[in-house]
Amino acid sequence: MPVVTTDHKVTHTSSVPANKDEVVKLFVRERNGTPPGQPRKPVLMLHGRSVPVLAGCDLQYKTYSWAEALAKAGYDVFLMDLQGSGLSPRPKMDDPHNVNPAQQQLLTPRPPGFTPGPPSYPYQLTNSDSDRHELDTVVKFVLEESGASKLAFIGWSAAAFHMGPYAIAHPDKVESLFLLAPIFPPDGSSTPPSPLPQPGFPMFIGGKTGFVRGLDNEVHCVDQREPGVADAAWDAIMKCDPIGSTWGPPTGFNRIRNFVRWGWNRTTAAKGGVLGGSVPVLIVYGDNDTQANTSPHNPDPELNFSVPDLYDAIAGPHKLMVRLACAGHSVVWEMQHKNLHNLSKHWLDHLKVDGKTQGVFDMDPDGILSPAP
């Protein structure tokens, strides 16, 4: 079926401290593949910490668009950017003085005339409350737009901080939860820090060289990533950042919001038995992923992440986990991406893996599933 693409600007009253109570427009792209005469089956996709949603989930390069694959399977797919990311508003982020002071020396010779100095807004930008408020606004928009009573969540990486707690709080709106490479600190904080906003700076910056190096660090198999994909992904990130793309070297910089998070740990994940209960959960991650699975010896519990600990923390019985062989944190841009697309389509259709509603599996590069040892 043909896929109809529509870009929406969703009205939202901001709770980000930097522009609190301002009316803003959140970016949402819709890729609708609903067959004629059929009810719309909405799916909402959300980005992680540093990659805008279009570059991560709708990369227009060969077969890499996850959203397009789902839309072609008959789903009505919505993709959103939170404030501070992609094509949604980026309050305080146009001022290069609000870059991490330790990185400001990189901002030469662009923007012209810039001199490093203290932040003009000396706080971290967004937080768990503001992100979940924005997610709620877009969920309500998607349900109204599609005429559905519930929607499916698909989140990559740090999206878990927002989609997990939201599903727990609103199981009446969330049909299922698919988390790719979820960031989960089992012993992270349950409560917000005081005061808010937290002192600091609004953003980090990342360049193409570091971006490619980060991808390469998780490549440990022959043909894990095909040539050209990293360039396509970086170009898509820059297309979503008209300001950052003009900074620093000719390749530009990715502006990455600095946010404060809480309320996502083994206690909150088990709350009420919602996850794995009324909201079935599928967790997928790569065996080479060192971002979602960090050293257990990290002394800071906020930076100690574990995907298997999330599976164990989910209290309900309808939970599954799949480990992809020869895949890293950025499997959306790797050779396993087609298997990821197929796995997510099967999940949305059946809410099962290999006919089961519980268990841990391995998937090889050919897409063959087997129970994990």
Side-chain angles (χ1 to χ4, degrees):
M1 297 302 302
V3 175
V4 179
T5 302
T6 308
D7 286 347
H8 303 278
K9 293 291 188 178
V10 178
T11 301
H12 173 73
T13 301
S14 179
S15 56
V16 173
N19 62 351
K20 185 174 174 58
D21 296 329
E22 289 184 18
V23 175
V24 298
K25 299 290 186 178
L26 302 174
F27 175 81
V28 176
R29 171 166 291 178
E30 181 181 5
R31 306 296 306 276
N32 188 357
T34 305
Q38 297 296 311
R40 292 156 78 173
K41 299 182 291 185
V43 177
L44 179 58
M45 308 185 83
L46 180 61
H47 58 87
R49 183 181 75 96
S50 61
V51 176
V53 73
L54 297 186
C57 299
D58 195 21
L59 181 64
Q60 296 300 301
Y61 181 74
K62 297 187 177 181
T63 58
Y64 286 87
S65 173
W66 192 358
E68 186 169 300
L70 294 178
K72 287 181 176 179
Y75 287 91
D76 191 4
V77 184
F78 295 80
L79 309 98
M80 71 170 291
D81 280 321
L82 295 164
Q83 284 197 86
S85 299
L87 298 175
S88 282
R90 300 193 188 213
K92 307 298 182 182
M93 292 178 68
D94 292 354
D95 183 353
H97 285 110
N98 285 328
V99 169
N100 178 358
Q103 295 184 304
Q104 288 187 20
Q105 75 277 7
L106 301 174
L107 293 173
T108 55
R110 301 189 306 165
F114 172 73
T115 302
S120 61
Y121 181 79
Y123 303 99
Q124 298 186 51
L125 188 62
T126 64
N127 59 63
S128 290
D129 278 348
S130 65
D131 287 339
R132 292 167 198 164
H133 291 160
E134 291 169 22
L135 180 58
D136 184 56
T137 290
V138 173
V139 166
K140 291 174 179 175
F141 168 81
V142 169
L143 294 179
E144 182 176 355
E145 183 76 10
S146 65
S149 59
K150 288 187 175 184
L151 79 175
F153 272 173
I154 293 180
W156 178 23
S157 190
F161 279 107
H162 322 305
M163 285 185 153
Y166 186 90
I168 293 167
H170 302 280
D172 57 316
K173 298 177 183 176
V174 181
E175 184 174 32
S176 63
L177 179 61
F178 183 111
L179 295 176
L180 172 64
I183 302 298
F184 180 73
D187 298 311
S189 174
S190 294
T191 57
S194 181
L196 285 175
Q198 281 279 284
F201 48 86
M203 61 178 158
F204 302 90
I205 51 173
K208 184 176 181 180
T209 299
F211 171 74
V212 175
R213 184 186 304 118
L215 298 181
D216 289 345
N217 286 342
E218 294 188 341
V219 172
H220 302 293
C221 299
V222 176
D223 298 327
Q224 184 174 325
R225 190 181 77 241
E226 71 171 315
V229 179
D231 291 333
W234 180 258
D235 290 345
I237 292 170
M238 289 295 92
K239 189 175 180 180
C240 293
D241 194 344
I243 300 298
S245 61
T246 68
W247 287 359
T251 51
F253 277 116
N254 179 24
R255 294 178 297 162
I256 303 167
R257 69 196 186 120
N258 192 7
F259 66 95
V260 183
R261 52 177 172 76
W262 63 85
W264 181 234
N265 53 43
R266 59 166 51 95
T267 300
T268 56
K271 188 175 180 180
V274 173
L275 297 186
S278 57
V279 180
V281 180
L282 172 57
I283 301 166
V284 180
Y285 72 103
D287 62 353
N288 295 332
D289 188 340
T290 56
Q291 297 183 54
N293 288 301
T294 60
S295 169
H297 305 297
N298 192 314
D300 185 350
E302 300 295 343
L303 299 176
N304 182 17
F305 307 136
S306 170
V307 177
D309 277 352
L310 173 57
Y311 180 83
D312 291 341
I314 293 172
H318 196 158
K319 60 176 183 177
L320 296 125
M321 184 167 67
V322 176
R323 182 176 62 180
L324 304 176
C326 292
H329 192 69
S330 300
V331 65
V332 293
W333 303 319
E334 296 179 346
M335 296 301 285
Q336 277 266 42
H337 72 280
K338 287 187 178 179
N339 290 333
L340 173 68
H341 298 174
N342 291 334
L343 185 60
S344 63
K345 286 186 283 188
H346 186 82
W347 169 253
L348 293 173
D349 286 344
H350 305 289
L351 297 179
K352 295 180 180 180
V353 170
D354 201 28
K356 299 179 177 63
T357 58
Q358 186 179 60
V360 180
F361 299 84
D362 288 326
M363 176 178 280
D364 70 17
D366 294 322
I368 304 301
L369 281 162
S370 59

